[in-house]
Amino acid sequence: MYVLIDAGSTVALRSSASVLSGQVTRLGRGTPVVVTNNLHKTRGFVAVQTADGRRGYVEATYLTLFQPSPPNSPLIVLDPGHGAYDPGAVRAGLAERDIVLSVARQVAGLLAGKVDLTLTRYTNDYYPSLGDRSAMANALSTSRFVSIHINTSSAGSASGAESYYYKGTTSVQLARAIQQRLTGYAGMRDRGVHFANYAVIRGTQAPAVLAELGFLSNASDRAKLADPAYQARYAQAIADGILATL
């Protein structure tokens, strides 16, 4: 992984997993490290080793799988909903947790090299709390935060994509840009852009959107959500929507 921090700033490599422990050294933007933790996480201290063999602990918030772009690049935080013990919506053997992670990884692949990137989770063995997801974004110089989800309903007829914001003109613009592309690229029914008091976007200081890609409870939507070709379309829609608002 790589240290993700503002140019000119550094993070501490500590001798133990505590802010009270001594500093082994300071790590600058883009420094590569190998994470040696058994369990993946994106909040709290993780054990790492530097390229020159120094070992210690770094706050995981400041690590990313994606090599940072040139300084002053916008930072995008992607939030695949749910994870680990929380599968989210489940229908016909499909879990929201798995699909949104696949889409988020593809969004990151499309944006890599254009912006700075980090994800609130990179695997399905980890569940960051809603507060952790917002706190992670707030600890960084975040430009955009996009939480990716899938809907479900007791009514099998409910279908389509919708996008939510909590506050701010830029959040509304971001929601509209993503929503327009979800409906256009993937042919989803347009359920519109709406205000919502969702904790993960309410608690994020940067422009923030929660995108619902479709309904797992609807047979037509579910077929698209399960299809890798359509997952790529969802990813392209989100990536293009983000870039359109930067």
Side-chain angles (χ1 to χ4, degrees):
M1 301 187 81
Y2 301 90
V3 173
L4 179 61
I5 197 166
D6 293 340
S9 299
T10 58
V11 296
L13 177 67
R14 297 190 176 276
S15 57
S16 64
S18 168
V19 294
L20 302 178
S21 65
Q23 297 185 26
V24 177
T25 188
R26 305 285 302 187
L27 304 177
R29 176 183 172 86
T31 302
V33 296
V34 175
V35 177
T36 58
N37 273 37
N38 290 328
L39 178 65
H40 166 79
K41 60 180 181 176
T42 50
R43 286 277 292 166
F45 281 99
V46 293
V48 303
Q49 180 174 331
T50 64
D52 60 4
R54 285 178 288 186
R55 291 176 176 269
Y57 294 82
V58 173
E59 168 56 55
T61 293
Y62 299 103
L63 297 178
T64 178
L65 274 181
F66 302 93
Q67 187 167 16
S69 297
N72 302 318
S73 297
L75 170 61
I76 310 304
V77 178
L78 301 174
D79 174 39
H82 307 280
Y85 59 83
D86 177 10
V90 178
R91 289 289 191 284
L94 299 171
E96 176 181 3
R97 167 190 62 196
D98 305 324
I99 296 170
V100 297
L101 181 60
S102 172
V103 171
R105 285 171 169 170
Q106 292 180 66
V107 175
L110 292 165
L111 293 176
K114 300 182 178 78
V115 297
D116 285 344
L117 284 163
T118 193
L119 274 65
T120 59
R121 66 181 181 95
Y122 290 96
T123 70
N124 270 332
D125 64 0
Y126 177 58
Y127 176 84
S129 71
L130 298 180
D132 282 347
R133 297 168 202 248
S134 296
M136 180 180 181
N138 294 341
L140 302 167
S141 299
T142 304
S143 296
R144 303 287 187 273
F145 176 93
V146 178
S147 189
I148 306 172
H149 287 259
I150 295 171
N151 238 324
T152 189
S153 173
S154 58
S157 58
S159 66
E162 53 195 347
S163 299
Y164 295 94
Y165 65 92
Y166 177 70
K167 65 178 184 299
T169 300
T170 305
S171 293
V172 175
Q173 293 172 343
L174 177 60
R176 287 174 175 166
I178 290 173
Q179 179 68 15
Q180 180 184 37
R181 289 162 176 81
L182 286 174
T183 57
Y185 294 7
M188 304 303 292
R189 176 189 169 205
D190 188 357
R191 295 177 63 90
V193 169
H194 309 283
F195 165 84
N197 189 23
Y198 293 145
V200 73
I201 53 175
R202 182 184 68 240
T204 299
Q205 295 166 1
V209 165
L210 187 148
E212 296 274 10
L213 306 182
F215 282 75
L216 265 185
S217 48
N218 177 271
S220 178
D221 280 11
R222 185 167 63 247
K224 290 180 177 180
L225 291 162
D227 185 341
Y230 270 91
Q231 290 179 16
R233 295 188 188 190
Y234 297 128
Q236 191 72 62
I238 294 169
D240 287 354
I242 290 169
L243 292 174
T245 70
L246 292 176

